[in-house]
Amino acid sequence: MHAALAPSSPLDAASLAPERPFSLPPLREELALLDGPAAYDGAPTWSLHDPVRNQFYRIDWPTFEVLARWHLGNPARIVEAIEAETTLSLSEEDVEVVIRFLAEHQLVRPLGEAGTARLVQQEKARHSTLWQWLLHHYLFFRIPLLRPDRWLVRQLPRVEMFYSRTFLYITLAALTLGLFQVARQWDHFAATLVDTFSWRGALGYGVALTLVKVLHEFGHAFTARRLGCRVPTMGVAFLVMWPVAYTDVNEAWRLTRRQDRLAVGAAGILTELAIAAWATLAWTLLPDGTLRGTVFMLATTTWVATLAINASPFMRFDGYFLLSDFLDFPNLHPRSFALARWDLRERLFALGEPIPECLPPARQRGLILFAYGVWLYRLTLFVGIALLVYHYFFKALGILLFAVEIGWFVILPIWREIGEWKRRWPQIKTSRGSRGKLWLLAVLAFIFVVPWNLQVSSQGLMRSARHYPLFAPGPATIAAMPVKPGQAVPAGQVLMKLDAVDAEYRQRLANARVSRLAWQAEVSGLDENLRARQPITVEELEAARAELAGANDELQRYTVTAPFPGVLADLSPDLRVGESVGRQQQLGVFIDPTAWVVETYLTDAEVERIAVGAGGRFLPETPGLPALALKVASIDRDATRALPDAMLAAGHGGEVLVRERNNQLIPERAVYRVVLAVEEAAPAQARVLRGSVVIYGRPKSLAGDFLRSGAALAIREAGW
């Protein structure tokens, strides 16, 4: 742990006033002041070591000069001495900053009752209730298991070979050869990767990941001990209840060379990369079998874990500390966050507040952009973790942890920043640069909160209110087509005559049988044999007459007539006299051109916003056709089980998501059929038109949509 001090940091001097006006609290005797590396601007730095808690604090040149004259016992005398003996120019407020830092981190001995009370208060603040501890630590907590320092010292000679240039060159050669061989066997490599996507493969990856992470931590430990740093503990940490190894290498802050600290921070990643290189080469050389499968999991797990997790600077893993050491910028996250919050407030409100740290412009811009990237990454990560804990635990606890995760890591930081805006409200409302942005924010809030959207939009089909599809009852030949498409005809008018050879043949057979049985019944009195079977003959005659009636009815169906006054529409252009047609082949559609309706399908939330009699508009997809006024005629009370018209299905250019089952289109979510009457004359060329439907219903807001969706999701997932 480390902290950087800035002389311009704010201080509540009254809360830290010593008991005696001209006496500073004495420093703890066990503290050690160590030389540190030069800062990025060339200024010297030092590390203040607290051996009790094994924590290090980075201090700058002004702070060092204050501590070097601490024995003077008075801020004014310290300032006078610094100005007389150095080129620095400090104030008493700068000395009070150092006093506050030392007191907050318990680096001074308490004086009197006030000092003791302050320590007690700090200790109480550190200890939380059980539920607070669980809230803060269920995602990450550590359990120390080993004190490996002596063992590491004994084993150093055995691992010295891994730090040689020879091992480095051999590993680079193995990596090059392994990648070359994988490229030649890429199809087999990809197929093996797919084959491991199973429960057994997941178990193997878990074992491989555990082994790699243990070696990763030993890489940190051996490197730190090799450079003279003590390694007090090693153990296991739980990250979202997943165990991972950890090593305490805080003493790397003793190292004065930045290259040495980078070596300690990069040791884990380099260890994993070496394992990945040798495992990749081993996979290309070994025959198929258990050993080859093991090194495959070791190689793939190591590459992914190193590049996707450890190398990322967005979380406090190796990549973060490497970047912090490379930039020589301790406390990279909190300091960059402070800069980004200042930048956000200045861009929004132009308050003219002093910048938290004075840095070169390029570094300042880079840190601000880095902070925004970290926020975006953590927003995505915390939402993902929230979903993970929801699905990982049982339903009730999962919902609770999901709410805690989103509330604590997403909503609470935003709420705190809004609180800072509220505290600065007197300056914000008088700032000339913020007025336009406040108006823009008010407009956006108005759009988000006020229910201004009156429209319910969907997709629908316009067709005649009365339409009658014409089908061929069976195989036939067109004998006559007396009506032309679009011609108005009365009810009962013949639209089309079909010659059905099979139906006519069955009619003739039935007619002949009726004639034969009728003759037998008439002459049965003249013949003894016929008279004996007369009852049977009468029954057969009745059956034959029924068969003849059915044949006549069937043949009558081949004469297609108008069921109501209307026009013949959508006649196939291939139909002509003498053309053969098949069974159930559609010949055309007979419609009533005087009344039109539009059918659409809405979700339950959309149906709740409309009522019978509500107005609307229909906008045909066909270019050049006018929009038509609508009025809601009926709303189905039950959800549609199967979509009757494929033109509205997503696979046919429609908007209703469906899945096909048993030759039916089943909607993916509940939709309700709504029928709207067309209030004005339809275009002459209208038959069946697809288009957009707009219904004027009850208003809604965007905020209401979010709240309803969230409430519906919570109710559905909770099983209420």
Side-chain angles (χ1 to χ4, degrees):
M1 181 177 179
H2 48 274
L5 299 181
S8 59
S9 301
L11 173 69
D12 182 5
S15 64
L16 298 170
E19 291 184 337
R20 290 174 293 176
F22 301 102
S23 178
L24 298 178
L27 298 174
R28 286 167 43 196
E29 296 178 353
E30 67 273 18
L31 297 180
L33 191 62
L34 310 172
D35 289 334
Y40 67 91
D41 58 357
T45 66
W46 290 261
S47 295
L48 187 62
H49 181 212
D50 179 0
V52 175
R53 290 178 293 178
N54 194 33
Q55 292 180 345
F56 291 81
Y57 304 91
R58 175 72 60 82
I59 61 175
D60 54 12
W61 181 24
T63 306
F64 170 78
E65 297 295 345
V66 171
L67 293 178
R69 294 162 178 82
W70 198 260
H71 61 280
L72 298 177
N74 183 284
R77 294 174 60 186
I78 290 176
V79 169
E80 291 175 2
I82 290 176
E83 290 184 348
E85 300 169 7
T86 70
T87 58
L88 293 174
S89 178
L90 302 182
S91 65
E92 293 186 27
E93 288 77 10
D94 298 327
V95 178
E96 290 169 349
V97 169
V98 179
I99 299 173
R100 177 171 183 173
F101 166 74
L102 296 173
E104 286 181 348
H105 294 86
Q106 301 178 15
L107 301 176
V108 294
R109 288 184 291 169
L111 292 178
E113 295 182 359
T116 304
R118 185 166 56 249
L119 282 181
V120 172
Q121 184 178 3
Q122 290 177 345
E123 186 66 15
K124 288 182 178 179
R126 284 198 317 113
H127 291 283
S128 57
T129 62
L130 177 61
W131 74 269
Q132 289 175 327
W133 187 92
L134 292 173
L135 180 65
H136 288 81
H137 294 85
Y138 83 94
L139 287 179
F140 182 79
F141 60 92
R142 290 177 173 180
I143 300 177
L145 298 176
L146 303 174
R147 296 187 179 275
D149 197 65
R150 293 183 180 179
W151 181 84
L152 291 173
V153 173
R154 292 196 302 269
Q155 301 300 322
L156 272 177
R158 294 183 173 87
V159 300
E160 191 64 32
M161 59 169 291
F162 296 114
Y163 293 93
S164 65
R165 290 183 177 272
T166 302
F167 179 75
L168 172 63
Y169 294 146
I170 294 175
T171 302
L172 290 176
L175 174 63
T176 304
L177 180 59
L179 292 178
F180 175 74
Q181 292 294 333
V182 167
R184 296 184 60 187
Q185 306 176 47
W186 178 251
D187 291 340
H188 186 30
F189 185 88
T192 305
L193 181 62
V194 173
D195 291 341
T196 60
F197 292 160
S198 62
W199 286 110
R200 181 176 296 179
L203 179 61
Y205 278 122
V207 173
L209 184 62
T210 301
L211 175 62
V212 167
K213 290 307 174 185
V214 169
L215 295 176
H216 172 109
E217 297 304 323
F218 275 114
H220 287 303
F222 277 116
T223 304
R225 201 66 192 86
R226 184 171 178 267
L227 294 173
C229 300
R230 188 172 62 93
V231 182
T233 60
M234 296 180 69
V236 61
F238 287 85
L239 180 62
V240 196
M241 308 309 294
W242 180 266
V244 294
Y246 84 92
T247 303
D248 183 356
V249 290
N250 272 351
E251 289 211 2
W253 286 100
R254 287 179 173 270
L255 303 172
T256 58
R257 296 177 66 247
R258 186 173 63 174
Q259 292 84 348
D260 292 341
R261 294 201 316 275
L262 286 172
V264 175
I269 292 179
L270 293 176
T271 300
E272 291 193 25
L273 290 177
I275 294 171
W278 287 102
T280 302
L281 178 62
W283 180 83
T284 63
L285 300 178
L286 291 172
D288 289 336
T290 303
L291 184 58
R292 194 184 196 199
T294 302
V295 297
F296 176 85
M297 290 185 177
L298 201 60
T300 52
T301 301
T302 306
W303 285 117
V304 173
T306 300
L307 298 179
I309 300 176
N310 288 317
S312 171
F314 297 130
M315 298 296 289
R316 296 179 68 88
F317 296 127
D318 290 348
Y320 165 76
F321 295 106
L322 284 173
L323 181 61
S324 179
D325 288 335
F326 177 77
L327 297 176
D328 193 23
F329 201 77
N331 291 332
L332 176 61
H333 277 172
R335 294 168 70 184
S336 63
F337 293 169
L339 286 170
R341 286 191 293 267
W342 169 84
D343 178 74
L344 177 64
R345 294 164 192 163
E346 290 301 309
R347 291 182 182 277
L348 289 177
F349 310 121
L351 299 176
E353 293 183 345
I355 189 170
E357 292 187 62
C358 293
L359 301 170
R363 173 166 286 214
Q364 176 182 314
R365 289 192 298 269
L367 290 173
I368 290 172
L369 291 176
F370 173 74
Y372 285 134
V374 172
W375 288 344
L376 182 61
Y377 174 85
R378 289 189 174 184
L379 175 63
T380 305
L381 177 67
F382 290 146
V383 171
I385 292 177
L387 294 174
L388 176 65
V389 298
Y390 166 71
H391 291 288
Y392 188 79
F393 298 97
F394 59 89
K395 181 84 63 173
L397 183 58
I399 293 175
L400 175 62
L401 294 180
F402 179 89
V404 168
E405 190 72 20
I406 295 297
W408 186 265
F409 292 105
V410 178
I411 297 177
L412 185 58
I414 297 175
W415 183 255
R416 286 173 176 169
E417 181 60 25
I418 294 175
E420 291 294 326
W421 296 358
K422 183 178 179 181
R423 190 169 62 86
R424 292 169 172 81
W425 178 246
Q427 294 85 5
I428 291 175
K429 66 181 180 180
T430 58
S431 172
R432 183 175 301 177
S434 64
R435 291 175 184 173
K437 295 168 184 175
L438 288 175
W439 277 109
L440 177 61
L441 185 63
V443 171
L444 294 177
F446 176 85
I447 294 174
F448 187 74
V449 175
V450 175
W452 54 270
N453 186 3
L454 301 173
Q455 297 181 351
V456 177
S457 301
S458 64
Q459 189 184 56
L461 289 180
M462 188 184 79
R463 53 165 53 101
S464 172
R466 291 196 297 176
H467 58 281
Y468 183 76
L470 307 178
F471 292 95
T477 303
I478 299 177
M481 300 175 61
V483 175
K484 296 180 180 180
Q487 177 182 343
V489 296
Q493 171 73 38
V494 176
L495 302 176
M496 191 177 301
K497 289 186 177 181
L498 304 175
D499 286 338
V501 177
D502 292 343
E504 292 175 354
Y505 178 71
R506 286 193 294 272
Q507 184 197 40
R508 289 196 297 270
L509 287 179
N511 195 20
R513 187 181 179 196
V514 169
S515 299
R516 178 173 57 80
L517 291 173
W519 175 81
Q520 290 179 358
E522 290 178 359
V523 300
S524 60
L526 303 177
D527 186 282
E528 184 176 351
N529 292 330
L530 293 176
R531 186 168 55 251
R533 64 182 310 274
Q534 184 178 12
I536 299 176
T537 302
V538 171
E539 290 182 3
E540 291 178 348
L541 178 60
E542 293 299 325
R545 286 173 176 169
E547 183 180 353
L548 177 60
N552 291 333
D553 291 341
E554 181 184 4
L555 193 61
Q556 184 65 30
R557 293 169 54 199
Y558 286 88
T559 300
V560 183
T561 59
F564 47 79
V567 297
L568 182 63
D570 293 334
L571 191 66
S572 174
D574 297 331
L575 296 181
R576 58 181 58 88
V577 175
E579 192 74 25
S580 297
V581 295
R583 177 179 176 82
Q584 294 302 313
Q585 177 179 340
Q586 185 167 347
L587 307 175
V589 178
F590 190 77
I591 65 173
D592 179 2
T594 61
W596 296 84
V597 295
V598 173
E599 292 183 358
T600 187
Y601 294 86
L602 304 179
T603 63
D604 51 356
E606 293 169 333
V607 166
E608 290 178 357
R609 296 181 54 210
I610 65 173
V612 174
R617 302 286 289 177
F618 177 74
L619 292 82
E621 290 182 356
T622 305
L625 296 184
L628 301 174
L630 304 176
K631 180 178 288 187
V632 176
S634 65
I635 303 173
D636 285 1
R637 299 183 60 182
D638 297 326
T640 300
R641 297 182 179 275
L643 192 67
D645 203 314
M647 290 182 67
L648 295 178
H652 298 267
E655 297 179 353
V656 180
L657 297 176
V658 298
R659 64 181 184 276
E660 189 170 352
R661 187 173 63 190
N662 298 331
N663 295 324
Q664 289 185 320
L665 300 176
I666 310 300
E668 289 286 355
R669 58 177 181 171
V671 291
Y672 298 81
R673 187 175 73 107
V674 178
V675 179
L676 303 99
V678 179
E679 294 288 289
E680 51 189 306
Q685 62 270 46
R687 294 296 179 264
V688 177
L689 295 178
R690 187 173 64 186
S692 299
V693 178
V694 176
I695 306 173
Y696 305 118
R698 288 187 291 274
K700 70 168 184 175
S701 65
L702 296 177
D705 284 347
F706 283 114
L707 292 175
R708 279 191 294 270
S709 298
L713 177 63
I715 292 173
R716 182 172 65 252
E717 294 299 326
W720 296 340

